[in-house]
Amino acid sequence: MRIGIDFGTSYSAAAAIIDGDLRLVRFGDARQFRTAVFFPEVVPNVEDFVLTPVLEAQVDAIVRASRADERQAGLPARPEMQLHREAVRIVRRQWMEEQTRAVSASVASFQDAMFGEDAVDAYLEEGTGNLIESPKSMFGYKLDPRVRKTIVSIAAHILEHIRLTATQQFGVPVREAVIGRPVEFRSSMGPAGGEQALGILREAADIAGFDAVTFLEEPAAAAMAYHMELTDRQRAVIVDIGGGTTDVAYAELGGGIAPIVHRSWGLPRGGTDLDIGVSLHSFMPHFGKDLSGVPVHHFVEAASVHNLPKQREFRKQDYRLVDEPFGARLRALQSTGATTRLNQSAERMKIDLSSAPTASATLDFIEADLTIEANDADFQAASDDFLDRMQRLLEETRNDLPEAPGSIFLTGGTSRSPQVQARVRTSFPGISVVHGDPSLGVVSGLARAALG
Ligand SMILES: Nc1ncnc2c1ncn2[C@@H]1O[C@H](COP(=O)(O)OP(=O)(O)OP(=O)(O)O)[C@@H](O)[C@H]1O
Ligand SMILES: [Mg+2]
């Protein structure tokens, strides 16, 4: 059986058309799940190496042995510093080997993977292990072979979770899928990033037990869903504003004739960029951004929770000499799970500000009673960059069209924001905007495409 899979940056969903009806795969009680995986086991990372008293004793023993060797061989005494450095290197290498052995011995770690909000909760509760959120935003980044392998395996786990859940619910083996893809993946390598992203998805689908997968651009999938609603033929613009990307298509739809997608446009930016914007504008000044002499890029690294190398970079910094209260807050932000919690608060604040003029967040995990306040004007300042880019994309689309569209079909979680909706209306003055289901537009179109 073939299903449609929306492998979203923030949320994933799957569906199939069975006997003419759209059937969404349920994940627990929900029709989608947060695209996050938690592995209880710690994957060894050399940057996590710290000299514990036990390891320190091993270093001392190696230094003493080297000295004894020197004396015995009648060689001149080398500086203490040099011997110490060499000894640390040996101990670190042994430590890495041990860690790697421990992880590969526990096959259980991969079988114990958790998905969705449960994954995030387990990570925050346990305070150890690995949480990978929004792996899709890494697919197009320059990855060293080891990290690429990890990302493929994470994507494979997510796809396998979907395949097995669908197989169980539909009662037939699911072995094929139409997977959604953005017009333009988030990438640090230009178009080569998009190629890499598709390669990762193909490899992951293979490991996950799919015999065949094809890809369909997400706005083209959303167009299929809108097509089903239109009795009269019309040319429409489909706008899908998600967590990682904003995708647009121009299509002839409805009227009982096959849909035709003429063109598509993409912007590799979405709701997660708004979260980072809110974090930098409203949260990070409480950690000393622009007030402490700590370089701004440290705050960007701390806010970029979906970028593993940036997170690692932030956690490596030493803030012992930063003025208080910022130093203590930054150190608290370096502890396991703290940037994830901060990002959750920033996302919640963004969502709150989409329906109220003010919002607040309390960051007890950083400092008792540390409260962040924000209002409309803050959100505007935090979101201007994304909104301006989005508006430019829509205006470019409008200028590329041969004639004014019959309507704009708007979908994607970020389209819930009234500020976003206002910019869409401004970009297409006088054209009616039809609101699709923000979460399920793409997956229902993919399910139709999966029918063949
Ligand atoms: N009321 C709201 N206001 C603003 N943003 C919202 C609101 N509700 C949800 N969002 C945002 O919507 C985004 C998720 O949307 P969606 O599920 O369409 O993304 P996705 O399909 O996972 O991502 P993509 O399609 O880019 O890969 C998140 O960034 C979330 O914070
Ligand atoms: Mg999406």
Side-chain angles (χ1 to χ4, degrees), residues 6-12 32 34-35 136 182 218 240-247 269-275 347 350-355 379 411-420 438-439 442:
D6 179 6
F7 192 124
T9 307
S10 305
Y11 293 95
S12 293
Q32 55 176 11
R34 202 23 99 176
T35 316
K136 187 181 180 183
E218 287 154 16
D240 170 21
I241 313 173
T245 57
T246 298
D247 295 281
R269 294 277 186 287
T272 50
D273 298 288
L274 290 177
D275 304 340
E347 182 181 13
K350 168 190 79 173
I351 292 173
D352 289 349
L353 287 172
S354 76
S355 59
F379 183 70
T411 185
T414 301
S415 75
R416 288 195 178 92
S417 153
Q419 295 88 342
V420 167
S439 304
V442 171

Side-chain angles (χ1 to χ4, degrees), residues 347-398:
E347 182 181 13
R348 208 171 304 125
M349 184 170 268
K350 168 190 79 173
I351 292 173
D352 289 349
L353 287 172
S354 76
S355 59
T358 60
S360 71
T362 304
L363 307 184
D364 277 332
F365 59 96
I366 298 293
E367 183 184 300
D369 300 329
L370 175 61
T371 301
I372 314 280
E373 312 265 357
N375 60 27
D376 279 347
D378 292 313
F379 183 70
Q380 197 174 337
S383 59
D384 257 354
D385 179 61
F386 168 72
L387 293 176
D388 288 348
R389 283 168 187 256
M390 185 194 88
Q391 191 168 337
R392 277 203 296 279
L393 176 81
L394 295 180
E395 284 169 358
E396 180 195 320
T397 301
R398 196 188 66 205

Side-chain angles (χ1 to χ4, degrees), residues 267-289:
L267 170 73
R269 294 277 186 287
T272 50
D273 298 288
L274 290 177
D275 304 340
I276 294 177
V278 168
S279 179
L280 289 174
H281 179 82
S282 294
F283 288 63
M284 291 305 176
H286 295 268
F287 292 82
K289 176 173 169 279

Side-chain angles (χ1 to χ4, degrees), residues 216-260:
L216 180 64
E217 286 185 350
E218 287 154 16
M224 298 280 276
Y226 187 38
H227 166 76
M228 301 302 291
E229 291 177 22
L230 293 173
T231 35
D232 294 327
R233 193 76 169 169
Q234 67 159 265
R235 289 166 185 237
V237 171
I238 314 301
V239 182
D240 170 21
I241 313 173
T245 57
T246 298
D247 295 281
V248 180
Y250 177 58
E252 270 181 71
L253 306 170
I257 316 166
I260 306 170

